[in-house]
């Protein structure tokens, strides 16, 4: 379900009039719905290390160099050099002083701190992307903007999470006649995603919807 379809589905749930074109979403409530969809999409994508956010890339570390610009667009899950997994060490000062433990790496601002090697190395990185949406062509992006953009959340979960979550956030009144229904559908979709989206039975992400 793309961005435009999500907005129209919200309008139906809210008993508002649907629109025929994305360009018609000009009213204040339209703008609020578009914004809230993005807020919830970003929140849910960012709450945990969902496997639908996993990506991989390679970095090149020149010989005799221990600092490298961090071009990874997200949170690093694993970093491998020469078949060895390097663990993150939270104290960058030990790298600066040359006293870092073996098979570790750290970071300082936008720089990765790594061991120094006599020859150039290829670094294999698995990471969780910071993007939350993608274009119709599959190009990932930070937010839903255009009519055919879709969430990175798998389609089967994206619709109930984003539609019911948006309706709940827009009205934000537990006394609203449909609030309990929206909350139930939202929580059910999250529970299904938590139980079915993980490969490892011991890994169970959890999310919470903030109420303002």
């Amino acid at each position: 379900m793309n961005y435009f379809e999500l907005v129209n589905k919200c309008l139906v749930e809210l008993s508002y009039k649907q629109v025929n074109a994305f360009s018609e979403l000009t009213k204040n409530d339209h703008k609020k719905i578009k914004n809230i969809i993005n807020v919830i999409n970003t929140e849910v994508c960012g709450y945990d290390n969902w496997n639908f956010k996993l990506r991989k890339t390679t970095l090149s570390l020149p010989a005799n160099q221990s600092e490298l610009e961090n071009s990874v667009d997200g949170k690093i899950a694993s970093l491998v050099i020469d078949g060895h997994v390097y663990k993150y060490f939270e104290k960058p000062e030990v790298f600066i002083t040359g006293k870092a433990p073996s098979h570790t790496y750290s970071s300082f601002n936008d720089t990765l701190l790594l061991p120094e090697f006599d020859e150039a190395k290829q670094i294999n990185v698995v990471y969780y992307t910071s993007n939350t949406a993608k274009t119709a062509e599959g190009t990932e992006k930070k937010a839903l903007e255009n009519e055919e953009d879709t969430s990175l959340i798998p389609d089967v979960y994206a619709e109930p999470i984003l539609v019911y979550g948006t309706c709940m956030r827009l009205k934000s009144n537990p006394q609203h006649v449909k609030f309990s229904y929206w909350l139930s559908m939202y929580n059910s979709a999250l529970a299904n995603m938590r139980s079915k989206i993980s490969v490892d039975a011991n890994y169970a992400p959890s999310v919470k919807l903030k109420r303002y």
Side-chain angles (χ1 to χ4, degrees), residues 55-135:
R55 304 290 183 270
K56 62 181 180 179
T57 189
T58 57
L59 305 175
S60 297
L61 179 67
N64 303 311
Q65 183 172 315
S66 61
E67 296 186 6
L68 185 66
E69 180 183 353
N70 184 8
S71 59
V72 178
D73 189 13
K75 296 186 295 183
I76 295 175
S78 65
L79 187 150
V80 181
I81 304 175
D82 291 339
H84 297 288
V85 177
Y86 282 65
K87 294 184 177 181
Y88 183 76
F89 194 76
E90 62 181 7
K91 297 181 179 179
E93 62 270 18
V94 300
F95 284 81
I96 297 173
T97 58
K99 298 178 181 179
S102 61
H103 296 127
T104 61
Y105 75 98
S106 190
S107 64
F108 183 76
N109 292 331
D110 296 324
T111 301
L112 291 177
L113 305 179
L114 300 149
E116 187 175 308
F117 299 96
D118 294 332
E119 56 185 24
K121 296 291 182 181
Q122 177 175 285
I123 304 172
N124 295 304
V125 180
V126 175
Y127 67 99
Y128 293 93
T129 181
S130 61
N131 291 316
T132 69
K134 60 184 177 182
T135 65

Side-chain angles (χ1 to χ4, degrees), residues 1 6 9-10 153-165 189:
M1 182 168 281
L6 287 170
K9 187 66 181 290
C10 288
I153 300 171
D155 287 342
V156 66
Y157 310 112
E159 178 183 346
I161 288 173
L162 299 180
V163 171
Y164 297 122

